[in-house]
Amino acid sequence: RAHPDTVVDIEVLNCIFADDRNAQQMLLKKFTSQADDIAAQFETAFTQHDMEQIRFHAHKLKSSARTVGANLLADLCFALETAARNEKWEEINILAGDLKPAVDRVRDFIKRL
């Protein structure tokens, strides 16, 4: 079992794709592209103080991250989504700065696979 602090839990992908490395790589490539787009949309929503869009983009990225085993990123997105749902701007303000670096860590990890 992967260490809980692992950037991407490869076992999640192995459960979905068994030994199909090509399918894993395709999913990861698609994820990184989507994650960059969602993070950019999140940043726009954050700049505009748009709670509903912050919640929406955090939820969307959380689901995608969980699918590929990027659990730390998914947990961060869950915290952002919850803070937005509860309209806790101070919390969002603290967490939002961690989103891009978290996406970057996942992308860098995936590149090294």
Side-chain angles (χ1 to χ4, degrees):
R1 195 77 189 124
H3 191 271
D5 292 338
T6 304
V7 176
V8 175
D9 182 353
I10 298 303
E11 287 306 307
V12 170
L13 295 171
N14 289 337
C15 286
I16 299 171
F17 295 110
D19 292 329
D20 189 344
R21 300 279 299 146
N22 286 339
Q24 282 185 15
Q25 290 299 321
M26 282 177 54
L27 177 66
L28 290 171
K29 193 172 185 177
K30 185 173 180 172
F31 169 76
T32 53
S33 170
Q34 285 179 336
D36 288 337
D37 289 347
I38 296 169
Q41 293 168 335
F42 175 91
E43 198 56 43
T44 301
F46 176 72
T47 304
Q48 296 171 348
H49 288 62
D50 185 335
M51 289 285 189
E52 186 51 37
Q53 286 299 301
I54 288 170
R55 188 201 60 71
F56 174 78
H57 295 302
H59 175 79
K60 194 170 165 185
L61 186 53
K62 175 192 73 180
S63 301
S64 299
R66 202 69 79 202
T67 300
V68 299
N71 293 322
L72 293 175
L73 176 58
D75 292 346
L76 172 60
C77 291
F78 178 73
L80 282 162
E81 178 187 4
T82 302
R85 184 178 302 112
N86 297 322
E87 299 187 3
K88 296 196 172 174
W89 182 254
E90 299 80 24
E91 226 173 289
I92 294 167
N93 210 20
I94 292 166
L95 296 170
D98 295 338
L99 188 63
K100 175 112 176 65
V103 170
D104 291 345
R105 274 192 300 280
V106 172
R107 185 186 328 91
D108 293 345
F109 181 89
I110 289 170
K111 277 184 187 167
R112 292 193 306 270
L113 288 178

